[in-house]
Amino acid sequence: MPQQSQDQTSERNRLPFEPSQTKKKAEKKATVSTPSSTTAKREASSTRSQSRDSNGIPEAVSNRMVKRMGFFCGIPTLLGIMTFFVSYMIVVSELFEVPPTAVLFVSLGFFGLGVVGLSYGALSTSWDESTPGSLVGFDEFKLNIGRMQQAWREARNRS
C-alpha cells in the first residue's frame, strides 16, 4: 500500500472533535518565577483550556455514548444483580437446590458482560456529530476500532 502524506491521511480520517494539528512534546525549561512569567503562564493555561473545550467531544456524540453505554452495560449489570434475588427466591421456595458457586459464576458472567458492554457502548457510537448511527452499531464499532488501531500504529511509529 503506498504511503500517503500525513495531511491527506489526517484530513480523510479526522473526526470533527480531533485537533487539526499534532501536538509536539515541549521541552521543559526551568524558569525563574517573575511577574511577567506568571502572567504568561496564566495566559498559556487559559489558551490551553479554551483549546481543550473546542477540541472536546461534542455534546450530541457524548449523549449518544452515554445512552449506548447505559443500555449495553445496564442490562447485563441488572441481570447480574437479579441473579442473587432469583436464586434466593428459588432457595427459599425450595423449588430446587441452587449451588452457591453457580450463583457466583452466573452473576460474574453478567457483570463481565456489563464491562464488555461499557466498552462496546462507547465504541459502537457514531463519532460523527451529524450521523446518529445504526441501532446496534456494529458498522460504527468496526470503523472506530480501525481508527483506534491506526492511531496506535502512528503513535508507535512516532516513538
Side-chain angles (χ1 to χ4, degrees), residues 47-124:
T47 304
R48 273 187 254 130
S49 66
Q50 288 173 355
S51 68
R52 275 189 223 138
D53 293 340
S54 65
N55 292 331
I57 298 174
E59 190 172 343
V61 175
S62 176
N63 289 340
R64 280 196 300 258
M65 278 186 186
V66 168
K67 286 178 188 174
R68 282 185 179 266
M69 290 164 61
F71 179 77
F72 287 113
C73 175
I75 291 176
T77 302
L78 286 175
L79 290 172
I81 293 170
M82 290 302 296
T83 302
F84 295 113
F85 293 110
V86 170
S87 64
Y88 175 77
M89 296 305 288
I90 290 172
V91 169
V92 168
S93 303
E94 296 180 357
L95 294 174
F96 56 90
E97 190 174 328
V98 179
T101 55
V103 175
L104 173 72
F105 289 132
V106 169
S107 63
L108 282 177
F110 281 128
F111 289 134
L113 278 176
V115 171
V116 171
L118 193 63
S119 300
Y120 182 77
L123 291 173
S124 68

